[in-house]
Amino acid sequence: MTKRDGGSGAGGDDRAEQGGVMIGAIADDFTGATDLASNLVRSGYRAVVVTDAGAVCGAAASGADAIVVALKSRTAPVADAVSHSLDALTALRDAGSERVYFKYCSTFDSTPEGTIGPVLDALMEALDVRSTIVVPSFPANGRTVYKQHLFVHGELLEHSPMRHHPLTPMTRSNVIELLQPQSGHRVLGTDLQQVHGGASALAEAWQRETDAEKRTVFVVDAVTDADLHAIAAASASMPLISGGSGLALGLRGPHGDSATAALVPAADGRRVVLAGSASAATRGQIAHALERSPGLQLDIAALKAGFNGEIARVVDWARGAWNADESAAPVVYATGPADQVDASRDSHTDDGALIERALAELAQRFVEAGVRHLLVAGGETSGAVVAALGVSALEFGGEISPGVAWVSGSGAGGTRVNLALKSGNFGRTDMFTSAWGLLP
Ligand SMILES: Nc1ncnc2c1ncn2[C@@H]1O[C@H](COP(=O)(O)OP(=O)(O)O)[C@@H](O)[C@H]1O
Ligand SMILES: O=C(O)[C@@H](O)C(=O)COP(=O)(O)O
């Protein structure tokens, strides 16, 4: 591992100088992976997302200096999340990664059992580091942390729509309270005042508070991008960092601000939106799109009664929409704009898995029908769709909005598809109709 100095002090350019150091990242879901890649590209890295550890070497050989392994581990059993993360770590280190970035959700999405703590613990132990940081903040998308409390657009996380997430309802806002029960290590807070003291003072404070006996995790306040820059600079000597994607904005990659990844060619073909997310932003985007584009809601009862019949109904409907207008982007969605999702319902996990399977099957059927551009809403949903399409490496193709980008890859049989994997709560209201204009 390359060790570097703690960075510059307050007032200067507080971004961490990382030239020549390859970043290896492990993301706990697929939208999170493209979100992170987008911010790494902004910071001057050639970032590539791979969907299995076996593809890491190929990405390194292609000249990437930031490789993000996308896992579907956020809601997985803890043992699976840990072992898949450790496999990714091994592949990233073998490919020459010198720093490791563990990416989880900017709203700290976690099941009650929780995978963030166990994965972080395992990574700390595997890398034998005494301390690391936890930085969920992503101010461009309204996520800030103050006195270790997570806010979403100024509202405590527990009062935000994340309270009703079907798989990871977030009913607490204090990140220490969320993380400590999941971690065997000591979890401490770093207040905004310390962050404002500048990168060198911050690095020294962490050094002082790091216990020789017990590994320490610092949950760090940040409310602006400048705070993220200071935190990234102060943590420049840490082999392991963790957070949402915002922290990546403080890093400085080898290609400077102007570095853009090679743009992927747009393929000709049909378009579709597959929305498995039940999040508030997605439901707003569906409502907006339904006024302009054809839309159809998956019938969950019909899926349960006869999976193939419901799939055939949706495929026929979409073919009809394209026959009427070849350039249409029909929207297939699981949860409607006015549907109330009750996260406490026992059957939710089963329904969620069924919906994911249906949207993944539809993605395959749509690609067979000539679709080449897919906008997928939802992290778990994106994981299921990308796995079904057999895409193992995703090249960056340009940002749509903070944390959402077009990416491109070849699926089973070599068919190239463009994908926008949209996190549930990201993106402007008009995204389902406007994103097509930004295709590379
Ligand atoms: N009406 C619903 N009932 C039960 N589960 C649902 C419903 N709508 C969506 N889901 C499931 O909720 C989960 C949403 O997670 P995800 O795709 O990660 O979206 P987000 O990005 O908003 O978190 C998926 O497993 C999806 O299948
Ligand atoms: O950090 C974030 O908020 C996103 O990158 C992310 O992880 C979102 O997850 P989903 O809402 O499940 O898509």
Side-chain angles (χ1 to χ4, degrees), residues 114-137:
T115 54
I116 298 176
V119 170
L120 197 58
D121 285 6
L123 294 175
M124 287 180 84
E125 282 148 32
L127 290 164
D128 195 21
V129 296
R130 308 303 314 160
S131 63
T132 190
I133 50 171
V134 162
V135 187
S137 296

Side-chain angles (χ1 to χ4, degrees), residues 29 31-32 35 74 103-107 109 143 165 244-245 378-380 422-426:
D29 83 347
T31 48
D35 170 15
R74 186 173 296 173
K103 158 73 178 70
Y104 37 78
C105 193
S106 61
T107 45
D109 295 11
R143 280 81 165 124
H165 194 283
S245 68
E380 299 292 331
K422 187 201 81 78
S423 155
N425 276 313
F426 286 1

Side-chain angles (χ1 to χ4, degrees), residues 165-167 276-279 300 334-335 348 351-352 355-356 378-381 424:
H165 194 283
L167 304 181
S277 161
S279 296
I300 300 175
T335 299
H348 244 85
D351 285 359
I355 292 166
E356 286 177 33
E380 299 292 331
T381 308

